[in-house]
Amino acid sequence: DVKVTQSSRYLVKRTGEKVFLECVQDMDHENMFWYRQDPGLGLRLIYFSYDVKMKEKGDIPEGYSVSREKKERFSLILESASTNQTSMYLCASLNRPGPVSYEQYFGPGTRLTVT
Amino acid sequence: SQQGEEDPQALSIQEGENATMNCSYKTSINNLQWYRQNSGRGLVHLILIRSNEREKHSGRLRVTLDTSKKSSSLLITASRAADTASYFCATDLEGGSYIPTFGRGTSLIVHP
């Protein structure tokens, strides 16, 4: 049974704090993604990684950084949290796309509140 | 901007009725996928339809794709209260990255 796990379901941080969100997948997938989800805006891609130590900016990378030191783990870092980063954060993984599947597997999400 | 846009934004029906959601997109695609999200949870993949396919079925789900109109529909037949969720379409662009772009979703409520 495939699984993507996120380190926290709920997180409350103060403005200016450094925040780490961790994501782990057990499917040996090549690609991993971080999205944020806000009401009325859907899912927006922050960063993705197609291999260990490789990363690409998504649509809204400002204020975020990522780290992928191991294939199974993809971390999202908020260097200095701000209230406008209060959101639901979703991690996903995807095997190498091909004729079989483009299906992404999502974690349960982390609801981050920055006060 | 969003590649796919779902319509309606919200849908409320009674158990047993059919639910139809639509997705329109702007540029040619390779694939279109539908995902489901229960409240406060991650997304779950439902079905993928390729640009050369017109219709696919999976259990009570029926997806159609009309590339000439750049639109897709998701039909859930004989809906159940457990189908209450948000439904998203995701598209990846023809000749572009394999990374899908998600729409804003349709919120479906099925009343028992």
Side-chain angles (χ1 to χ4, degrees):
Chain A
D1 197 20
V2 298
K3 192 172 263 189
V4 178
T5 56
Q6 295 183 227
S7 50
S8 304
R9 289 300 316 279
Y10 300 94
L11 209 52
V12 179
K13 295 292 182 181
R14 293 193 181 276
T15 301
E17 278 193 82
K18 191 169 186 176
V19 182
F20 293 87
L21 302 182
E22 304 281 337
C23 176
V24 177
Q25 50 99 0
D26 66 357
M27 296 163 282
D28 200 36
H29 282 176
E30 308 280 341
N31 303 275
M32 296 187 74
F33 307 81
W34 276 106
Y35 295 90
R36 67 176 280 175
Q37 183 178 25
D38 301 287
L41 296 178
L43 274 73
R44 293 181 291 167
L45 182 63
I46 304 172
Y47 268 97
F48 70 98
S49 168
Y50 54 89
D51 202 351
V52 175
K53 297 192 185 296
M54 307 306 290
K55 61 185 179 185
E56 292 285 345
K57 293 179 180 179
D59 299 318
I60 52 164
E62 297 78 19
Y64 304 94
S65 62
V66 290
S67 171
R68 189 150 180 221
E69 296 297 317
K70 293 184 178 181
K71 191 175 186 180
E72 68 270 18
R73 188 179 297 269
F74 192 34
S75 302
L76 179 69
I77 303 152
L78 287 64
E79 295 290 341
S80 178
S82 63
T83 55
N84 63 12
Q85 292 178 310
T86 291
S87 186
M88 169 73 108
Y89 289 87
L90 292 165
C91 174
S93 72
L94 170 70
N95 205 357
R96 185 181 298 277
V100 176
S101 174
Y102 285 73
E103 176 181 350
Q104 283 184 305
Y105 293 85
F106 282 82
T110 295
R111 188 166 294 281
L112 172 67
T113 302
V114 183
T115 61
Chain B
S1 62
Q2 308 295 122
Q3 159 71 340
E5 292 290 346
E6 293 89 346
D7 172 67
Q9 288 187 3
L11 184 58
S12 181
I13 60 174
Q14 295 294 129
E15 211 166 24
E17 294 180 342
N18 295 342
T20 300
M21 289 157 268
N22 303 295
C23 172
S24 59
Y25 55 92
K26 297 171 185 172
T27 54
S28 296
I29 60 170
N30 285 323
N31 306 283
L32 187 144
Q33 303 179 68
W34 285 93
Y35 286 80
R36 165 197 170 121
Q37 183 182 35
N38 287 82
S39 179
R41 309 295 296 185
L43 279 71
V44 175
H45 184 262
L46 294 176
I47 199 163
L48 177 149
I49 187 164
R50 302 189 187 281
S51 59
N52 61 355
E53 297 175 313
R54 292 297 166 258
E55 187 170 316
K56 283 188 88 168
H57 296 256
S58 177
R60 293 184 297 112
L61 305 180
R62 173 177 169 253
V63 170
T64 61
L65 180 64
D66 186 335
T67 53
S68 66
K69 294 181 179 178
K70 293 187 171 57
S71 69
S72 173
S73 67
L74 170 66
L75 168 67
I76 304 173
T77 60
S79 63
R80 305 166 182 167
D83 295 327
T84 294
S86 292
Y87 293 83
F88 294 85
C89 69
T91 55
D92 58 279
L93 301 182
E94 183 180 62
S97 165
Y98 56 86
I99 297 167
T101 302
F102 288 83
R104 292 183 172 90
T106 291
S107 175
L108 172 66
I109 297 175
V110 181
H111 299 280

